[in-house]
Amino acid sequence: MLKIACTFLLFVSLNVFAETINIGEKFSIDSKILGEQREYWISLPDSYKKNGFKKYPVFYFLDADQNHFFQTFSGMVKQMGSDASPQIPEMIFVGITMGAGSKRYFDATPTASTVQYGGQKNDSIKAGGASKFLKYLQQELIPHIDTRYSTSDYRLLSGYSVTGMPVIQALYTMPKTFNGYIAVDPSIWFDNHVMLRRTENFIKNTELHKRRLFLASSRRVGVVYPKENYTLELIEKMSVTSKEGLDFGSVIYGLEENHQSMPVLSFYKGLRHIFDGYMIDEETRFRPANELKNHFQKISDKLGSKFFLNEGLVQYFGYDNLYNTQFGKVNINQAIEYFKLNIESYPESYSAWGSLGEGYLVNGEYTLALSAYKKALELSPNNKSIKVQIEKIKLLINQS
């Protein structure tokens, strides 16, 4: 009996200290276009602050409610955009729920064809709602997200299997809405490969500017419904045809991957393609800040939108040069240059101005330090630590 009681007490004590791990939040929007309420799930970057000064790219991900996709891919976006060598920018991740079965199928398909996978007709399953669904994204959900959150002008759209089709349709029919597109093993077989047949017109007639597309498929063919892999044909067509304004990438797996196993691998590869060249190496902080500035200027020019390295990481580079003696002498001047770079990228950040003030203070440039701290105080009027630093510097100026 005593053993049971102790076990119960241990269980209670363990749960007293339990904390919830917050992955994201669920919201809904009343859609006049679709005539119903639609749910979306959202995951914000760790550095996100409501009404803050930083603008974030937005990743719109179809099928958020399928196969734990939201948890998996929102986590991947956070991981790939973090640490000392981020591969992609921090992004707002918007998971779009598609529902199950026929509802998902209707919203994802471009025509009203009743021919199913494998060639059989099924008149009870409705198709052809993709155009209206994309109109909902463009005219209702995106403006809603832009109003509610601190967003930049760079957007991505991704889908898998049947929801890969509206990704391609979005590129073909409204290419100004999204900048990057990732379609993992899209159902190009649908309606006698209608999206493949529309590709020629897209290549010839659609004007693009700095758009990026990534497609994934495999050579494995199912034995239940043998078929030609039209996604491979689409990849081949896109690969051999130069389309002005489109940067195309793809991956074709062999027999080692199938339709169900490729999403995670392809999502990663797709993001690496969209943001090709974004990643910095772990020794960046030992080089002049101007090199980092030039790196992200090139990325911004290539992608057609402004990108800056995470403020906290640049600040870390600065402080590493200011105080860390592990790799030799500190480099105060280089630290100050990193702090200046942060201000160029985030001029409304009191933290960036405070760091610059600290750099000047360590370097004995008291007047410049005072000016930087005063700017930090303007941006954060109730910040007690900044006030203390200002008074400290005033005393140093009077003594010198």
Side-chain angles (χ1 to χ4, degrees), residues 156-226:
L156 287 81
L157 181 65
S158 178
Y160 161 65
S161 192
V162 69
T163 62
M165 279 192 295
V167 173
I168 298 169
Q169 186 173 341
L171 173 63
Y172 286 10
T173 62
M174 52 184 207
K176 292 183 179 180
T177 303
F178 299 96
N179 305 78
Y181 304 79
I182 300 174
V184 179
D185 215 19
S187 301
I188 304 301
W189 58 265
F190 178 81
D191 190 11
N192 192 29
H193 46 86
V194 62
M195 295 309 299
L196 179 60
R197 290 185 281 113
R198 292 176 179 179
T199 301
E200 194 68 32
N201 180 66
F202 160 73
I203 292 174
K204 288 181 178 180
N205 299 316
T206 305
E207 292 187 11
L208 298 179
H209 180 65
K210 298 183 178 179
R211 284 340 189 221
R212 304 176 78 84
L213 169 65
F214 184 84
L215 296 176
S217 191
S218 79
R219 299 193 182 279
R220 180 185 290 272
V221 177
V223 296
V224 178
Y225 297 127

Side-chain angles (χ1 to χ4, degrees), residues 31-36 38 107 129 132-134 136 140:
S31 170
K32 293 181 180 179
I33 293 173
L34 299 178
E36 62 184 10
R38 296 302 294 254
D107 283 342
K132 185 180 286 189
F133 176 74
L134 289 174
Y136 154 71
E140 292 182 328

Side-chain angles (χ1 to χ4, degrees), residues 215-345:
L215 296 176
S217 191
S218 79
R219 299 193 182 279
R220 180 185 290 272
V221 177
V223 296
V224 178
Y225 297 127
K227 65 180 178 63
E228 183 177 355
N229 190 332
Y230 293 108
T231 301
L232 294 183
E233 288 192 30
L234 179 59
I235 290 174
E236 182 179 359
K237 183 179 287 288
M238 289 288 189
S239 299
V240 301
T241 306
S242 178
K243 171 62 179 171
E244 185 177 358
L246 180 66
D247 189 297
F248 176 70
S250 66
V251 60
I252 300 173
Y253 303 103
L255 300 181
E256 75 280 5
E257 305 297 343
N258 60 33
H259 185 68
Q260 282 72 37
S261 70
M262 69 173 72
V264 173
L265 295 170
S266 305
F267 186 79
Y268 173 81
K269 291 176 182 293
L271 282 173
R272 289 300 299 267
H273 171 76
I274 299 296
F275 295 105
D276 177 46
Y278 185 96
M279 186 175 71
I280 59 172
D281 67 59
E282 64 274 17
E283 296 184 356
T284 295
R285 68 187 189 275
F286 300 117
R287 298 192 288 269
N290 198 51
E291 289 189 19
L292 184 64
K293 179 180 178 179
N294 292 337
H295 175 88
F296 278 92
Q297 184 59 57
K298 290 179 181 178
I299 290 297
S300 298
D301 291 342
K302 181 166 71 172
L303 296 179
S305 183
K306 282 288 185 181
F307 288 92
F308 307 104
L309 189 59
N310 178 281
E311 179 195 0
L313 187 53
V314 178
Q315 191 175 56
Y316 161 69
F317 290 170
Y319 279 118
D320 202 51
N321 280 279
L322 192 63
Y323 294 121
N324 191 354
T325 59
Q326 180 182 359
F327 303 102
K329 294 182 179 180
V330 298
N331 191 334
I332 299 175
N333 290 328
Q334 187 157 293
I336 291 173
E337 291 306 310
Y338 273 111
F339 295 144
K340 286 181 177 179
L341 178 59
N342 238 2
I343 288 172
E344 284 186 42
S345 305

